[in-house]
Amino acid sequence: MVSYKITVKTGDKKGAGTDANVYIILHGKGIQTNKYTLDTFFKNDFERGNIDNYSVDSEVNIPEVQRIELWRDAYGLFSNWYLDWIEVTNLATNITSIFPAMKWIKENQRYFFNHIDTCLPQDDPFKEMRMVELQNIQRDYQLQVKVPGLPAQVKELPDDERFSFDYQFNIGLKGKIYQEESQRLVMASGVEWKDVDDVKSVYTPVFGVPEGSKTFNDDASFGRQRLNGLNPSILNLCTKIPESFGVTEIMVKPFLEGKTMKQAMDDKRLFIIDMAILEGCPTVGENIMTTPFALFYFNDAKCLMPIAIQLFQKKGPSNPVFLPSDPEYTWMWAKMWYTLADSTYHQALTHLNFTHLMMEGISVAAKRNLAPSHPIMKLLNPHFIYLMAINTLALGTLINPGGAIDKTSSAGINGHFYIIKKSMAFWRLDVNGTLPEDLKSRGVFDQSVLTGAYHMRDDALLLYDAIRTYVKKYVMHYYSTESSLTADYELQKWGAELVKSRDEGGVGILGVPNNGKFVATDQLVLTLTAIIYTCSVGHAAANFQQYDEYGAPFNYPYYLSGSPPKDKSPVTIETVLRSISNRIQLLGLMTVTKVLSEKGTQSLGDFEKQLIVDPPAIKFVEEFRQNLREIAKTIDERNKKRKHPYDELHPSAIPNAISI
């Protein structure tokens, strides 16, 4: 007679607990135990979030349990059950076997979980069972283009992708607190602003003071936004002034510290942003969207300074080039109208499309084609947690007709969708989604360019290299030969679905190496690194400063009314004040961005789903975590020397996934 200790962890999702009867059979090599009922007298087993322990005795001695067979009935009022994991210990040999599940257990359906359960499909001894499981998953995970021209998403949110109860409750509670405070402030002070100080009155202790409100009409802060703000990936090294940009040598001479424009270009100190993609962007009502050029100079004090702004693409008398020497509020207003385009680009592309939407299609395709026991699925899964859930929530509350974006932005959802559709023609995983290549394409990869100022780049490269090193070790462990890569039919099907056009039911991702046919490990490493980086570091850079930026309407306007300036006549602060969001609009935007700016899940490397249980792979995870700890120390040291510390990409501030 031998005793087994069985430990069961029920998930934390809403409705995860069950009153059903749960049965288990333990399997070894060619042997198995009888059926056991997991039940403790006078105890409510399998409650949400609980860990339950059971002891069973058997005549069958399995020194190391290799596999478990599990099922439940439909007994009780609440029979649904979400299982996180099961551990089985043979108390005679003291060997523990781990069986990750992370899924809903459906009634009267038998589930088989293997110890460690990590193998390529061609090596799986239970190929037929694996195939059946994947077919069941594919019924739940279907791709659909919900908005014509936009990325593919999950057709209906599967139960396994829903928020945990606590996570969803916390999001709702925070939103309610901010909404109640907003209502109080509007009731107390009305809708329209009295003066600039009145705008600051909304920064109560409930909301806090956004960082962007601490400077006002400051050119150095405006330059830092382009490097280390929410949208740090659109600045390009300037090697030529576009024909349609009316800036001249005489205009900018006072701002180049004695250099000509050519000398500034040769010294790699002149930079440009071109917002031509916003041409034709629809807006809400009579609002106007700018399509600006902005020129910047990196000065001797290591500050990126704006030196010229043209608000529309076609140069002409009614579209002047605005300069820092223009009347104070005229220059300020020109910067605000530039920033309207910047914030619209940020929200539509840098944040929504290039992280949330692109990664959702990739994650759905992964789950459709890679079995849960596939090592690549185990590698990616922690970086997909809550992604489909948050996108589904956003489609119903933020980016729906009449939702938050329609109420708080100049472009509205139609404008955002218009820009997203345009971007689908150029966004590539191997360029825009691969940090070093993105930096090279913009001429800013070399750290001798923008030295000491481009903190986002400098910190992000450390993290990209750490992720790539981790991924490479992991991939090389499971694909020791190129033939094992090409023989992996699940991986090849995933690659094919990634590049298959959306019209044909695929994800339609451009720039997947070798068009999705993985024949070399470096192709797979690049793809996986880009995905993990985007889901963690890329999203963190684009997301967690939202309240600090959008909460300050003079600093980062998302809405402006009236018309942009057509000449250099002096502008009054009253004109500027009338153009920004009113109190209701601003508080609505503050509420949304405050919730979005609060990190709700665990930090990079500290995985919510501990699916990697293969001992060699666990070693790679530990090495990754150690590397992140060293990066944290490096960033801490850098921030001690920085005049304006940059904390957004400290590893402790980066979640594993796009979960908010």
Side-chain angles (χ1 to χ4, degrees):
M1 184 71 69
V2 64
S3 296
Y4 299 91
K5 178 185 176 184
I6 301 174
T7 303
V8 181
K9 171 67 166 63
T10 297
D12 184 38
K13 295 179 182 287
K14 186 176 182 179
T18 186
D19 294 329
N21 297 303
V22 176
Y23 308 97
I24 193 169
I25 297 174
L26 311 181
H27 292 259
K29 293 180 180 178
I31 54 175
Q32 67 181 63
T33 66
N34 293 326
K35 176 184 77 174
Y36 296 99
T37 303
L38 298 181
D39 182 53
T40 304
F41 287 119
F42 305 113
K43 182 177 182 293
N44 200 352
D45 302 288
F46 312 119
E47 291 295 285
R48 179 176 61 84
N50 281 3
I51 294 177
D52 296 294
N53 292 294
Y54 305 92
S55 180
V56 299
D57 297 325
S58 175
E59 297 288 345
V60 180
N61 185 1
I62 306 173
E64 183 176 7
V65 177
Q66 298 293 316
R67 197 177 188 212
I68 60 172
E69 185 177 348
L70 186 84
W71 69 101
R72 70 166 179 86
D73 60 21
Y75 178 81
L77 186 61
F78 303 103
S79 63
N80 286 341
W81 185 33
Y82 188 88
L83 174 64
D84 270 358
W85 49 260
I86 291 179
E87 284 185 0
V88 180
T89 302
N90 181 316
L91 296 179
T93 62
N94 206 32
I95 295 175
T96 298
S97 301
I98 304 169
F99 303 93
M102 305 293 179
K103 65 173 59 181
W104 289 95
I105 304 299
K106 298 176 181 177
E107 64 181 77
N108 298 319
Q109 183 172 321
R110 298 214 175 195
Y111 294 82
F112 293 86
F113 300 103
N114 297 321
H115 174 42
I116 296 182
D117 194 24
T118 306
C119 64
L120 299 176
Q122 62 266 36
D123 301 326
D124 196 328
F126 307 103
K127 287 185 177 65
E128 187 174 336
M129 191 171 298
R130 179 176 178 137
M131 193 175 299
V132 169
E133 182 180 28
L134 204 47
Q135 288 169 350
N136 289 333
I137 290 171
Q138 287 168 355
R139 282 194 287 270
D140 290 335
Y141 291 79
Q142 296 184 35
L143 285 162
Q144 182 185 52
V145 176
K146 295 182 177 180
V147 179
L150 266 61
Q153 297 177 260
V154 71
K155 184 176 181 180
E156 292 184 14
L157 184 65
D159 288 341
D160 285 356
E161 300 298 330
R162 297 188 185 278
F163 291 121
S164 73
F165 176 80
D166 285 349
Y167 193 79
Q168 187 159 10
F169 177 80
N170 287 338
I171 291 176
L173 179 62
K174 290 171 184 174
K176 185 179 179 183
I177 290 170
Y178 301 136
Q179 286 168 357
E180 289 175 350
E181 180 70 351
S182 298
Q183 291 169 0
R184 185 188 71 79
L185 289 167
V186 172
M187 290 289 290
S189 303
V191 176
E192 304 302 330
W193 306 112
K194 300 176 182 66
D195 51 36
V196 172
D197 286 337
D198 190 22
V199 178
K200 297 178 182 177
S201 71
V202 298
Y203 306 141
T204 62
V206 172
F207 280 106
V209 179
E211 285 296 316
S213 69
K214 296 177 181 178
T215 58
F216 186 81
N217 194 20
D218 179 70
D219 284 357
S221 296
F222 186 84
R224 284 197 302 276
Q225 274 186 314
R226 315 284 79 80
L227 296 173
N228 305 312
L230 286 167
N231 207 16
S233 301
I234 59 172
L235 184 78
N236 288 269
L237 185 69
C238 184
T239 56
K240 182 182 179 183
I241 300 297
E243 284 289 327
S244 51
F245 191 4
V247 67
T248 65
E249 188 81 47
I250 294 173
M251 290 179 185
V252 297
K253 183 178 179 180
F255 317 115
L256 295 179
E257 298 179 318
K259 292 181 171 60
T260 64
M261 280 203 289
K262 184 180 185 309
Q263 288 170 334
M265 289 181 193
D266 291 344
D267 291 347
K268 297 185 177 181
R269 293 172 71 170
L270 204 63
F271 300 86
I272 191 168
I273 294 175
D274 180 354
M275 289 288 191
I277 192 172
L278 292 172
E279 195 77 62
C281 177
T283 59
V284 176
E286 300 299 315
N287 292 331
I288 295 173
M289 180 55 61
T290 53
T291 57
F293 289 105
L295 194 66
F296 299 83
Y297 173 67
F298 189 58
N299 67 18
D300 291 342
K302 296 187 182 300
C303 292
L304 185 70
M305 304 296 285
I307 60 172
I309 293 173
Q310 180 179 299
L311 293 177
F312 295 95
Q313 289 286 308
K314 190 175 181 180
K315 61 185 178 184
S318 61
N319 184 28
V321 176
F322 294 95
L323 306 169
S325 53
D326 291 338
E328 179 182 7
Y329 292 123
T330 302
W331 173 237
M332 176 181 174
W333 212 27
K335 287 187 293 182
M336 288 174 65
W337 279 99
Y338 162 83
T339 304
L340 175 68
D342 191 292
S343 65
T344 303
Y345 183 106
H346 162 260
Q347 205 59 261
L349 301 186
T350 307
H351 182 217
L352 179 57
N353 195 31
F354 298 162
T355 65
H356 281 263
L357 298 183
M358 289 290 197
M359 292 302 113
E360 179 177 350
I362 288 171
S363 71
V364 176
K367 299 204 174 192
R368 284 174 47 79
N369 292 285
L370 304 175
S373 56
H374 197 293
I376 300 305
M377 192 68 258
K378 289 180 179 288
L379 175 73
L380 290 175
N381 233 330
H383 305 286
F384 293 154
I385 186 171
Y386 299 152
L387 169 57
M388 297 178 210
I390 197 65
N391 286 359
T392 299
L393 179 63
L395 280 172
T397 58
L398 300 181
I399 51 177
N400 59 313
I405 286 181
D406 266 353
K407 292 176 180 176
T408 61
S409 72
S410 283
I413 61 165
N414 289 335
H416 287 69
F417 288 169
Y418 173 84
I419 306 164
I420 291 172
K421 290 173 188 177
K422 276 191 173 182
S423 74
M424 299 301 291
F426 70 78
W427 191 90
R428 294 180 58 89
L429 186 77
D430 59 355
V431 179
N432 311 89
T434 300
L435 178 67
E437 298 308 313
D438 173 66
L439 293 168
K440 290 172 187 175
S441 73
R442 296 187 288 112
V444 293
F445 175 75
D446 190 337
Q447 289 179 289
S448 66
V449 177
L450 296 165
T451 304
Y454 201 174
H455 306 327
M456 181 272 171
R457 172 198 63 191
D458 299 342
D459 294 354
L461 281 170
L462 295 178
L463 292 156
Y464 180 89
D465 288 343
I467 292 169
R468 186 181 183 279
T469 299
Y470 164 51
V471 168
K472 186 174 183 179
K473 289 177 182 176
Y474 190 95
V475 166
M476 295 305 295
H477 172 67
Y478 290 103
Y479 298 99
S480 55
T481 64
E482 302 292 1
S483 61
S484 60
L485 190 68
T486 54
D488 184 347
Y489 47 87
E490 288 182 0
L491 184 75
Q492 299 302 332
K493 286 179 181 178
W494 178 50
E497 192 159 272
L498 286 180
V499 302
K500 187 178 181 181
S501 78
R502 296 186 299 283
D503 291 339
E504 296 176 344
V507 187
I509 298 292
L510 304 177
V512 179
N514 201 35
N515 202 32
K517 298 173 184 175
F518 299 114
V519 296
T521 52
D522 61 344
Q523 296 168 349
L524 182 57
V525 168
L526 185 148
T527 301
L528 298 174
T529 302
I531 293 168
I532 294 173
Y533 173 88
T534 301
C535 287
S536 55
V537 183
H539 179 256
N543 184 75
F544 291 104
Q545 294 184 81
Q546 286 193 84
Y547 178 71
D548 281 331
E549 296 279 26
Y550 285 100
F554 300 110
N555 170 72
Y556 206 61
Y558 193 34
Y559 170 92
L560 287 173
S561 64
S563 298
K566 295 181 179 180
D567 57 44
K568 300 196 175 194
S569 301
V571 172
T572 65
I573 189 61
E574 288 74 24
T575 298
V576 176
L577 190 65
R578 284 195 300 270
S579 71
I580 65 171
S581 302
N582 64 34
R583 199 181 311 266
I584 292 175
Q585 288 173 307
L586 180 59
L587 285 165
L589 184 59
M590 287 167 59
T591 294
V592 171
T593 56
K594 187 72 174 176
V595 172
L596 294 180
S597 298
E598 294 184 9
K599 176 173 169 277
T601 50
Q602 291 165 208
S603 299
L604 183 60
D606 181 16
F607 302 133
E608 281 87 354
K609 291 188 174 185
Q610 299 291 345
L611 296 178
I612 296 176
V613 292
D614 193 2
I618 290 174
K619 180 173 178 285
F620 304 145
V621 173
E622 287 303 323
E623 290 170 351
F624 178 46
R625 289 170 175 162
Q626 180 57 36
N627 204 349
L628 291 173
R629 286 191 284 270
E630 293 302 318
I631 290 171
K633 292 177 185 176
T634 299
I635 292 175
D636 286 339
E637 288 302 312
R638 286 177 173 179
N639 278 335
K640 289 177 184 177
K641 300 172 184 176
R642 290 168 173 167
K643 183 177 179 181
H644 300 279
Y646 182 70
D647 297 316
E648 308 311 315
L649 295 187
H650 193 284
S652 64
I654 302 170
N656 288 300
I658 303 170
S659 53
I660 192 66

